[in-house]
Amino acid sequence: MMFQVIKMDELLKQTLLYDFYGELLTTHQKEIYEQVILEDYSLSEIAKEAGISRQSVHDMIKRCNKTLEGYEKKLHLVEKFMSVKEKVHQIDTLLENYEDQDEKELIKMVKKLSGEIIEEL
């Protein structure tokens, strides 16, 4: 079970990195990467279709991951996106529980979170 959670977290990470930086890969890299990560093809299936070795597909995926992670280390777009998403979720939670809160305190907390969001962008 723990392995599946790690695998899902890694898949989510790879998908987010691809969403943000995938257009910076070559056309061939994008095609192969999409087949592995988004369409869940096996390395053998892709190798056969592309006319390359299974090892070549594996190496290309590793290079693509390294490239995408390199962009993230420099630009931090996924990190900022996830942080903003969490803050928006916190604002939604505050507003859902509006009746349980003092109005001035609620406004203060929402302004604080929205200010943090603006700083991140």
Side-chain angles (χ1 to χ4, degrees), residues 2-106:
M2 181 69 149
F3 177 72
Q4 284 184 319
V5 172
I6 293 169
K7 190 172 181 178
M8 287 299 293
D9 286 346
E10 186 61 29
L11 183 61
L12 176 61
K13 176 184 168 189
Q14 289 174 317
T15 303
L16 282 171
L17 288 171
Y18 184 76
D19 285 346
F20 279 86
Y21 306 112
E23 289 302 314
L24 301 172
L25 298 175
T26 68
T27 302
H28 183 64
Q29 287 173 323
K30 286 193 296 189
E31 289 172 2
I32 301 294
Y33 198 81
E34 285 177 5
Q35 290 176 338
V36 170
I37 302 303
L38 304 179
E39 299 171 20
D40 201 27
Y41 284 25
S42 73
L43 299 182
S44 299
E45 291 172 314
I46 296 165
K48 184 177 179 182
E49 185 179 307
I52 58 178
S53 71
R54 185 184 178 286
Q55 185 63 45
S56 294
V57 175
H58 180 267
D59 292 346
M60 183 179 294
I61 296 304
K62 282 181 72 170
R63 278 193 310 275
C64 287
N65 282 334
K66 189 174 182 176
T67 299
L68 296 173
E69 288 171 3
Y71 289 134
E72 176 61 12
K73 283 180 183 173
K74 292 176 185 170
L75 301 172
H76 306 284
L77 297 178
V78 174
E79 180 185 324
K80 289 176 185 177
F81 170 77
M82 295 304 289
S83 178
V84 167
K85 185 177 176 182
E86 174 58 29
K87 286 178 176 72
V88 169
H89 176 72
Q90 289 174 16
I91 289 170
D92 285 345
T93 301
L94 287 170
L95 295 174
E96 284 176 7
N97 300 320
Y98 172 72
E99 295 84 26
D100 300 339
Q101 310 246 351
D102 173 42
E103 190 172 312
K104 287 184 181 185
E105 186 63 27
L106 176 67

